[in-house]
Structure formats: C-alpha cells, structure tokens
Amino acid sequence: WRSLVSASVWGAEGREFESRRPDQHRNRPPAAHRQCGRFRFWAMLGEPSMTKSGVLPSQALRALIAAGGLTGNPAITEAQIQPASLDLRLGMVAYRVRASFLAGQGRKVADRLAEFEMHRVDLSQGAVLEKGCVYVIPLMESLALPPGITAVANAKSSTGRLDLLTRTITDGGTEFDRIPEGYAGPLYAEVCPRSFSVLVRPGMRLTQIRFRQGHAVLDDAALAALHADESLVSGEAVISEGLGFSVDLRPAQGDLVGYRANPHTGVVDLDRIGHYPAADFWEEVRTTEGRIILDPGAFYILVSREAVTIPPDYAAEMAPYLAMVGEFRVHYAGFFDPGFGHAAAGGAGSRGVLEVRCHEAPFVLEHGQVVGRLVYERMSERPDTLYGREIKSDYQGQGLKLAKQFR
C-alpha cells in the first residue's frame, strides 16, 4: 500500500500533501465524515483485524492525511512528519488570556476564549510572547480521527529546553494533550513562556502529536525482555512501570553538571539557530560534591547518568515525575522517537537531557538519584524514517546540551 499512499498524497510539485481545509469539514455531519475517513484510512492500511496495535509510524501518518483524518491549512508538508509523530504549526494569531483553561465537556475553545481573552496578537510579521503570560494559539492542523485511533500531544525538545510550557487543547477537552478517538475539530496550543520571552511566527513548530491504535505500552515483563535483547540503557536497568533513569552530577570530566536560566534576559527569536551566547541566558551549574540544591522557581538543564536507546520498532514517552518523590518536575518534552540513540540510526546510546523546575521548597538533588522513567510503546509497524538517520536530528548522540538557539 506504500505506493498507493505515495501516489495519492503528494501534490503536483511533490512537496506538500493534498489536504482539505478545516472549514471544508464543518458542513459535513461528523459521524458521516468519520466513517468516510475510517474507510479510506483502513483501505490503505488493510482491514482493522489485519493491523497491529501500537503507535502509528510515519507511513501511516501519510495514509491518515490522505484519508482526511489529519488536515492542514495550508497543506501539511513532508517536513512535519517525524518517525512516530507529526509536528504542529502555529497559526496567524495569539490570544492573550487571563489564565490557563480547558474547554470542558460540550464546550468549544472559541467560546471560552470570549470569556478569558485580554487582547489579540497578530503573528503574521512575528511577535513576542512575553515571559509569564498565557497565550492560546489556533494551530494550522485539524483532526477527524477514525474510531480506534487516539492521539497525544507533547512539546518538542527545543520547546522544553527553552522552558516554554506548551500544551494542546481541544473542543470538549477535559485534560491537556489527550485527544480521544472520533474527535473531529480544531487544535489549539496553550503557550506560557516561563524563563524567556520568545519571538514567534506563523508556521513555527512548538509541539507534536502522536497517534495510537489500541494498547501500545509495554508492561514491565515485556520491557525487561526487550532490554535483554536490545540493551536499552547503559548500566543496570531499573524497571518499574517503565525504565527509570537518574541524574548525572559526577561528570567524567570537569565539574560542569548543568545550566540554570538567568532571570532577566533578552528575547529569544526561535528562528535564530546557534545565534545567542549561552552566557547571556544561562548560568553554569558546577559541583565537585555530587549534589546541587535546586532553588524554588528556578529552571535547570541537567543530563541523565544513563545513555538510553529506543529500538526502531518502539517509541517512548517520558512519564511525569511524581511530586511525592521530590519538589520538582522533570521534562516538558516527552517524546522519544524510534532510533533515538540506536546503532541502526547512527547512535551509540544517547543521554536524556532533563528540563527541571523546582517548586515550593529548596531541594537537594544528588548524583544517581532516580528522577523519572521512560515508558516504552510498540510501533504498529517499523517507520520508514528513523530518528537521526533519514531525517535531520539535532540531538542524536547528545550529552548535556542547551536548545539549538544557543551557542
């Protein structure tokens, strides 16, 4: 079916997908549309009984686009498609709102904006999103999910490393970043810059969306078996509701263990790659004692002690860290793509960069302390592109590293 997808989704110039505009779906009854989308999607992938549960790979995303289950205005481009997710693009306007909110069951985001909007920001020529403010931005993509397909969104790596709290909300939504099967409607990004004011433009990709069919998460027994075959982590594997990882505060060379965001800085233009001197925005964190004290309200970039690997037939997501274990939160950007750190994609294990924010009380963080876990999921099929091989990947083989805007 791959040749069928290739023939049906590429536009005349071979660069963009043919895709209906969101407004072309609104006059069509949602149930009828979802049934049509389901028929076309499964016609490309095969009957549901012949497909596997798991995270949808890049080639299945192309089929979903061709079936009308995933649309964009302007059309979705090939550059947005990752091995196990799709990048979502900012639209033309940002709404400055009084507070973060969810639409709530039976209600639309547009209606709630009328309650909470303070003013609108035109993004067409570029505009600054101010530190500490909350914005809601309509995205260029819309969904009409077939039955059996759910979606989850998450911030991209560079978004998290800039301390941009970015979450996806939907009409009728009762939680952030989670989209149920059968959802038909627009997508919105809630963006709250926490450490730096940022300059954004339409089409920028701050968040990504992953699609699942059925149950994909590996239980501990399956994860242990996979580790025995693939060696998912350097050193001893701590497996308990995922693969645990710890913080590195005793580097092999030197005493640099991380960075702390400076409280008063200039604006970061997200399009300027390798442009900003790190010292203008970050304070180096050094220790020879194997421990640091996290200050309340401060944001840190640290690195895991272990090098992790995501095999080509699997994806992973960083699970939220439990507040009862420590007064801090680890990692805004939670997706790890197939091939991350894997030899088949040119990797040799990659350490996870940790975005850490301390909350109410100072907290002593010590070398080797477990700070989070990776939840592994099966892919429904091996993707035709892998992280770090067929696509440009900024963080393959990474160690301690800031966002790509800094040098």
Side-chain angles (χ1 to χ4, degrees):
W1 57 269
R2 192 170 299 169
S3 60
L4 171 62
V5 173
S6 298
S8 62
V9 301
W10 288 106
E13 296 180 352
R15 292 195 303 269
E16 293 187 342
F17 293 103
E18 295 176 354
S19 180
R20 293 184 182 89
R21 300 191 311 272
D23 60 350
Q24 289 179 311
H25 294 306
R26 290 173 186 153
N27 295 328
R28 198 178 289 188
H33 175 68
R34 289 197 295 270
Q35 184 179 8
C36 175
R38 179 180 188 274
F39 175 79
R40 295 181 63 198
F41 179 57
W42 292 122
M44 291 186 178
L45 290 183
E47 289 301 314
S49 61
M50 299 176 63
T51 60
K52 297 180 180 179
S53 63
V55 175
L56 298 190
S58 46
Q59 59 268 31
L61 297 183
R62 296 185 185 97
L64 187 60
I65 293 166
L70 176 57
T71 60
N73 183 21
I76 294 171
T77 67
E78 176 68 12
Q80 292 175 248
I81 298 179
Q82 306 302 319
S85 62
L86 181 95
D87 292 346
L88 300 174
R89 302 165 297 177
L90 299 181
M92 301 296 293
V93 63
Y95 296 86
R96 168 75 167 93
V97 293
R98 289 184 285 134
S100 172
F101 67 88
L102 291 164
Q105 189 171 4
R107 307 189 70 178
K108 294 183 179 296
V109 173
D111 296 334
R112 304 309 303 273
L113 281 173
E115 298 178 47
F116 302 116
E117 177 187 349
M118 297 174 67
H119 61 86
R120 302 181 189 186
V121 181
D122 180 9
L123 303 183
S124 60
Q125 302 302 314
V128 173
L129 304 184
E130 299 285 350
K131 172 183 171 181
C133 299
V134 182
Y135 300 86
V136 173
I137 306 176
L139 297 171
M140 293 180 176
E141 289 73 32
S142 296
L143 297 181
L145 292 181
I149 302 296
T150 61
V152 58
N154 215 313
K156 290 175 63 65
S157 295
S158 291
T159 307
R161 296 182 199 206
L162 286 167
D163 199 18
L164 283 174
L165 178 59
T166 303
R167 302 182 287 191
T168 299
I169 56 178
T170 61
D171 289 345
T174 56
E175 56 183 332
F176 294 105
D177 292 331
R178 297 295 187 266
I179 305 169
E181 64 176 313
Y183 176 77
L187 300 172
Y188 300 82
E190 178 198 274
V191 182
C192 179
R194 304 291 302 276
S195 291
F196 313 117
S197 296
V198 295
L199 178 63
V200 300
R201 299 175 181 86
M204 282 185 170
R205 307 197 295 260
L206 303 187
T207 189
Q208 55 196 333
I209 190 168
R210 179 175 283 179
F211 299 87
R212 298 186 179 102
Q213 179 192 342
H215 184 73
V217 174
L218 300 186
D219 61 22
D220 286 350
L223 187 57
L226 179 62
H227 175 65
D229 291 339
E230 292 275 1
S231 187
L232 301 177
V233 64
S234 61
E236 181 182 358
V238 178
I239 296 177
S240 177
E241 296 183 343
L243 180 67
F245 57 89
S246 60
V247 64
D248 184 11
L249 296 178
R250 292 191 184 276
Q253 297 180 342
D255 59 359
L256 178 65
V257 297
Y259 298 90
R260 169 179 161 157
N262 289 332
H264 307 292
T265 67
V267 173
V268 177
D269 184 337
L270 300 188
D271 275 341
R272 294 195 170 187
I273 308 304
H275 177 77
Y276 298 99
D280 291 349
F281 292 82
W282 301 92
E283 172 190 348
E284 293 183 346
V285 178
R286 297 180 179 270
T287 183
T288 57
E289 300 177 343
R291 68 175 184 236
I292 60 175
I293 297 178
L294 304 178
D295 290 326
F299 178 73
Y300 298 83
I301 296 291
L302 305 173
V303 70
S304 71
R305 184 175 62 163
E306 302 83 4
V308 298
T309 294
I310 312 296
D313 293 313
Y314 297 85
E317 183 175 1
M318 184 93 67
Y321 195 59
L322 300 178
M324 67 183 71
V325 183
E327 287 295 328
F328 59 94
R329 185 189 194 281
V330 172
H331 217 282
Y332 290 125
F335 288 163
F336 287 70
D337 275 336
F340 179 85
H342 195 269
S350 293
R351 296 201 286 169
V353 170
L354 311 175
E355 295 106 28
V356 178
R357 175 170 288 280
C358 186
H359 294 316
E360 296 177 1
F363 187 83
V364 177
L365 192 61
E366 301 190 84
H367 176 73
Q369 183 172 343
V370 175
V371 294
R373 55 196 171 94
L374 276 179
V375 177
Y376 281 70
E377 301 179 274
R378 295 180 183 86
M379 299 295 297
S380 64
E381 183 183 4
R382 179 174 292 200
D384 58 9
T385 59
L386 292 179
Y387 185 94
R389 190 180 70 186
E390 290 88 352
I391 62 172
K392 180 181 182 294
S393 304
D394 292 294
Y395 303 117
Q396 181 74 300
Q398 69 184 354
L400 178 63
K401 189 174 183 179
L402 295 171
K404 59 189 176 182
Q405 288 82 7
F406 301 103
R407 55 179 168 84

